[in-house]
Amino acid sequence: MGWKISNEHYYFKKGITWSGVTMNTFGVRSYEEGMIFDSGANGLFVFDDDYYFYFVGLLNTKVIEELINIINPTVNTGCGVIAKLPTIISNENKTKIDQLVMQNISISKREWDSYETSWDFNQHPFITFKGKTVEESFGKWNDFTQNQFIKLKANEEELNSIFIQVYGLQNELTPIVDEMDVTVRKADRLGDIKSFISYAVGCMFGRYSLDEEGLVFAGGKFEPAKYQKYSVDSDNILPLVSGAYFEDDIVSRLIEFVNLTFGEETLVENLDYIAETLGKKEGETAKEAIRRYFLNDFYKDHLQIYKKRPIYWLFTSGKQKAFNCLIYMHRYDKSTLSRIRTDYLHELQNRLDAEKKSLLRIIEGGGTAKEISNAKKELKAIDLKIEELKAYDELLHHMADMQIEINLDDGVAVNYAKFNGLLAKLD
């Protein structure tokens, strides 16, 4: 109450937007119907839609950047600054400008849609540009992104040339665009391997499916029939522990995913390529390197991608990382905690108790000095894990009995806080 909301009649209309604070090169973005502007992302609307792409092209050129520097030599670029810009309409160049701008928008949108955080994400580039191996798929994707980068740069330089001539600034400006100012990314081996793993995890949980493109499940009625090529995890719980204690742990499921998508003949080669990309250490097997990534870095990467609003939640017992598992928040129900406890945590406790007894037999059974020394070190580590699991089991039991329910409309932060002490911290 009391606030005056301006320009509501422009809400949800097709427009052009730019950041109110511009530290580097000024640039605008095209957006379709359905969006709202504000002071942080201003809105410009073209009354004659025939000239929409013309203005998108003009406002992204060196001509406008130079004029803004003259009119407003600060980092704040509000609507008033843009309104002062002198505009020249060149109808003889309009068709060419429209073609270049539409092509640039298409290139930029396709690049953005290769990220799983895009609303229009369909599938991972390694599936779209699929080769015989993961390495070959990355090579195809790398070639494609290089060509897109070169094409976008060339188009922007051609637009610069056209508008420099229209404004008569041939002796003042050069059309050359610095590679740092080209806003589509090139392929990145490490980043793309990590995003491939993230996509695989999404398929495990049912967020994505190899049977259809795009977002398959993010709430509502879950339909297992949509996952024929690669089966979805039935209980929405993927254990992640230091050893291969569970047949359906996340490492096993990833191996199954790679095997299914690229074939058994190249499975070893593909796992080696993934492990080497992740930084496989000397003496490590590919599986060990992948497991280490899941234990230490996967969730950190997930938090970064989703800006500390994760859709996959990491239940973890604590500092020793004795027990960890991932769930997909959109498939959570009030029985999830009980299933984590009875089907996985208790099973791990039994396994560790058996390992402890085995180590005690070595220590008490007169093994070699080296065997006894190693057994004592392992026993100390296992004892720490067993103690951690006992404390975690008590908390998990208490909260499982509460039958906690979540409402997806409340958002991640509100729902995440309901499980304080069970989940990995967001900071």
Side-chain angles (χ1 to χ4, degrees):
M1 295 295 293
W3 279 85
K4 180 182 181 296
I5 301 173
S6 303
N7 300 311
E8 285 181 272
H9 54 290
Y10 289 119
Y11 281 10
F12 309 116
K13 290 188 177 182
K14 176 181 177 180
I16 300 169
T17 186
W18 67 96
S19 300
V21 178
T22 307
M23 299 300 293
N24 298 309
T25 305
F26 176 81
V28 302
R29 298 177 294 279
S30 161
Y31 66 88
E32 296 296 326
E33 294 178 350
M35 307 295 175
I36 298 178
F37 55 90
D38 67 9
S39 59
N42 301 275
L44 183 150
F45 303 90
V46 183
F47 290 110
D48 187 345
D49 197 51
D50 284 344
Y51 287 90
Y52 177 81
F53 293 116
Y54 185 94
F55 279 101
V56 173
L58 170 62
L59 289 166
N60 276 314
T61 61
K62 284 195 167 185
V63 171
I64 292 301
E65 184 183 352
E66 188 67 19
L67 290 172
I68 287 175
N69 289 336
I70 295 169
I71 295 171
N72 179 59
T74 71
V75 297
N76 297 302
T77 312
C79 293
V81 174
I82 303 305
K84 292 177 183 177
L85 292 170
T87 55
I88 301 174
I89 303 297
S90 174
N91 286 310
E92 63 180 294
N93 292 299
K94 182 179 174 301
T95 300
K96 183 61 177 177
I97 290 168
D98 287 353
Q99 289 174 348
L100 290 169
V101 171
M102 284 189 285
Q103 193 171 63
N104 286 358
I105 290 173
S106 177
I107 291 171
S108 301
K109 188 175 188 308
R110 180 159 188 179
E111 183 268 336
W112 174 244
D113 290 343
S114 68
Y115 293 94
E116 67 175 66
T117 46
S118 166
W119 288 352
D120 296 318
F121 173 78
N122 282 326
Q123 59 187 11
H124 192 269
F126 288 4
I127 305 299
T128 307
F129 296 89
K130 191 168 166 300
K132 294 180 181 178
T133 63
V134 174
E135 183 175 10
E136 189 176 311
S137 296
F138 172 73
K140 288 184 175 183
W141 169 238
N142 183 49
D143 291 343
F144 176 77
T145 59
Q146 290 281 358
N147 290 334
Q148 293 288 87
F149 185 93
I150 292 168
K151 182 63 178 173
L152 183 61
K153 184 175 185 295
N155 285 356
E156 290 183 355
E157 289 175 345
E158 188 170 356
L159 284 167
N160 278 337
S161 293
I162 292 171
F163 281 107
I164 284 171
Q165 287 189 331
V166 168
Y167 279 75
L169 298 173
Q170 295 91 327
N171 296 327
E172 308 295 332
L173 299 175
T174 171
I176 302 302
V177 174
D178 193 302
E179 286 197 357
M180 292 179 62
D181 294 328
V182 180
T183 54
V184 291
R185 68 165 186 163
K186 296 179 182 178
D188 169 61
R189 178 174 165 178
L190 178 58
D192 290 325
I193 286 294
K194 287 183 175 181
S195 67
F196 176 67
I197 292 173
S198 178
Y199 176 70
V201 172
C203 290
M204 295 174 202
F205 280 128
R207 182 173 179 83
Y208 309 115
S209 172
L210 292 178
D211 296 278
E212 59 182 87
E213 294 183 347
L215 185 63
V216 177
F217 182 80
K221 183 181 178 181
F222 187 69
E223 300 177 42
K226 291 185 175 182
Y227 311 93
Q228 298 296 319
K229 291 181 180 177
Y230 178 72
S231 61
V232 67
D233 191 75
S234 58
D235 62 5
N236 187 39
I237 301 167
L238 290 173
L240 171 55
V241 289
S242 58
Y245 294 106
F246 302 99
E247 290 183 2
D248 65 339
D249 76 350
I250 199 167
V251 177
S252 300
R253 290 305 311 267
L254 178 66
I255 293 170
E256 182 187 350
F257 183 83
V258 175
N259 182 52
L260 183 68
T261 50
F262 289 96
E264 190 172 355
E265 291 182 0
T266 59
L267 179 60
V268 173
E269 179 183 349
N270 288 327
L271 294 179
D272 283 339
Y273 183 76
I274 291 171
E276 287 167 8
T277 304
L278 294 174
K280 184 166 76 75
K281 296 180 179 178
E282 187 176 349
E284 265 188 333
T285 66
K287 291 181 184 178
E288 288 169 344
I290 293 169
R291 186 176 298 279
R292 180 168 53 81
Y293 169 70
F294 272 120
L295 275 170
N296 299 331
D297 297 314
F298 174 81
Y299 204 63
K300 293 176 186 176
D301 292 335
H302 183 66
L303 291 180
Q304 186 175 15
I305 292 169
Y306 285 88
K307 311 297 183 186
K308 296 186 179 180
R309 294 294 182 268
I311 55 172
Y312 311 135
W313 290 358
L314 178 64
F315 284 79
T316 181
S317 58
K319 185 179 179 181
Q320 300 299 321
K321 299 181 181 179
F323 175 78
N324 312 275
C325 73
L326 287 171
I327 71 160
Y328 179 28
M329 68 170 286
H330 293 81
R331 287 181 61 197
Y332 169 88
D333 63 48
K334 60 185 180 181
S335 68
T336 299
L337 297 187
S338 295
R339 285 184 280 113
I340 290 174
R341 181 171 179 258
T342 57
D343 296 350
Y344 295 95
L345 181 62
H346 287 175
E347 175 65 22
L348 180 61
Q349 285 177 309
N350 292 335
R351 295 286 188 94
L352 291 180
D353 285 339
E355 283 190 22
K356 179 176 180 177
K357 290 176 182 177
S358 178
L359 291 170
L360 286 172
R361 283 196 294 269
I362 293 173
I363 295 169
E364 297 167 359
T368 65
K370 185 176 182 181
E371 288 174 341
I372 293 173
S373 176
N374 289 338
K376 286 181 177 179
K377 288 179 182 178
E378 289 183 41
L379 181 61
K380 185 177 180 180
I382 284 181
D383 279 339
L384 289 173
K385 289 182 178 181
I386 288 173
E387 287 303 310
E388 183 175 273
L389 291 181
K390 283 180 181 178
Y392 193 69
D393 184 43
E394 289 180 13
L395 180 59
L396 187 56
H397 188 189
H398 171 69
M399 297 187 78
D401 287 345
M402 293 169 63
Q403 297 280 288
I404 299 171
E405 296 191 13
I406 67 172
N407 184 344
L408 294 177
D409 291 337
D410 290 337
V412 174
V414 171
N415 288 313
Y416 206 87
K418 294 178 180 180
F419 304 90
N420 186 41
L422 294 179
L423 295 170
K425 293 182 179 179
L426 295 182
D427 49 17

